[in-house]
Amino acid sequence: MRRRHSSWLYCHGRGISLVESLVTICIAGIVVGAVVPSFTSLIERQALRAAAAELRGDLHLLRSEVRMRRQNLRLALRNESAGSCYVIHTGPVGGCTCHVDSAAQCQDGSQPLRTASMPASGRFTLANRDTTMTFDADRMTVSPTSTLRLVGKSGAAIHLVVAITGRVRECSPEGRVPGLTIC
């Protein structure tokens, strides 16, 4: 007794035709082309979120150190062609400066407590209109209040708004980073 195979299950030694191969490759190319840009923007948004979380953590550290030390502390920011950086330090305004490619440099008895840098070749930059923020130990206030802007290469951004009390809230201009309030 001979078994019959249905034609769609049994191939009579034939391979896949060139046209079938090309159609498959074209469909795969279209799918990859559609997925890669959204995947790239997802990676950038996640890098922005991570940088914002680190900066927010450093601001909380700064605020708690001011309480614990009962001493004014400062956050000094710097933007240069190589990127942007910040240093949390003791001492007077201008007591410490940071550089993207080297350690913080301090004078007048100032000491760096924490530094961070973001090279220009990275996924985002840090921008701020002011170069120094002072956290006052007597009043437990920040001067000047400020908005720290982390901006990605695609234009997506997270703003960290520092209130006079030192509290930090996050928002995203135009809602380009999902899950954050719109600035």
Side-chain angles (χ1 to χ4, degrees), residues 44-45 48-49 52 124-125 148-160 170-178 180-183:
E44 181 182 274
R45 285 193 310 265
L48 273 172
R49 284 183 179 274
F124 53 86
T125 58
L148 303 168
R149 296 177 305 279
L150 290 162
V151 182
K153 300 285 185 197
S154 71
I158 296 177
H159 290 185
L160 283 87
E170 291 180 1
C171 60
S172 175
E174 303 171 11
R176 295 193 60 188
V177 178
L180 295 177
T181 59
I182 298 173
C183 298

Side-chain angles (χ1 to χ4, degrees), residues 4-179:
R4 296 197 71 152
H5 296 285
S6 91
S7 62
W8 64 275
L9 289 176
Y10 185 71
C11 185
H12 300 284
R14 292 182 28 191
I16 297 173
S17 72
L18 180 61
V19 172
E20 292 168 331
S21 297
L22 290 175
V23 168
T24 304
I25 290 171
C26 286
I27 291 172
I30 290 169
V31 169
V32 168
V35 170
V36 168
S38 64
F39 187 67
T40 303
S41 68
L42 173 70
I43 290 172
E44 181 182 274
R45 285 193 310 265
Q46 292 304 323
L48 273 172
R49 284 183 179 274
E54 181 180 353
L55 181 53
R56 186 179 57 249
D58 287 346
L59 290 168
H60 288 297
L61 168 75
L62 177 55
R63 192 171 167 211
S64 65
E65 284 289 318
V66 166
R67 263 193 212 116
M68 188 177 75
R69 293 172 182 246
R70 293 192 165 102
Q71 171 187 17
N72 293 353
L73 296 176
R74 290 170 177 70
L75 173 76
L77 297 120
R78 181 180 172 115
N79 287 312
E80 51 190 36
S81 61
S84 44
C85 61
Y86 63 89
V87 58
I88 296 171
H89 67 90
T90 63
V93 172
C96 287
T97 57
C98 63
H99 299 279
V100 174
D101 52 359
S102 65
Q105 297 171 343
C106 297
Q107 56 193 7
D108 300 329
S110 299
Q111 294 181 331
L113 303 176
R114 168 90 170 96
T115 59
S117 62
M118 290 143 243
S121 62
R123 293 197 162 111
F124 53 86
T125 58
L126 173 64
N128 191 38
R129 72 172 189 268
D130 301 307
T131 58
T132 301
M133 296 169 58
T134 300
F135 286 68
D136 188 298
D138 294 331
R139 296 183 198 106
M140 288 308 296
T141 59
V142 175
S143 176
T145 59
S146 196
T147 300
L148 303 168
R149 296 177 305 279
L150 290 162
V151 182
K153 300 285 185 197
S154 71
I158 296 177
H159 290 185
L160 283 87
V161 181
V162 183
I164 195 165
T165 59
R167 293 189 184 259
V168 180
R169 72 175 175 87
E170 291 180 1
C171 60
S172 175
E174 303 171 11
R176 295 193 60 188
V177 178

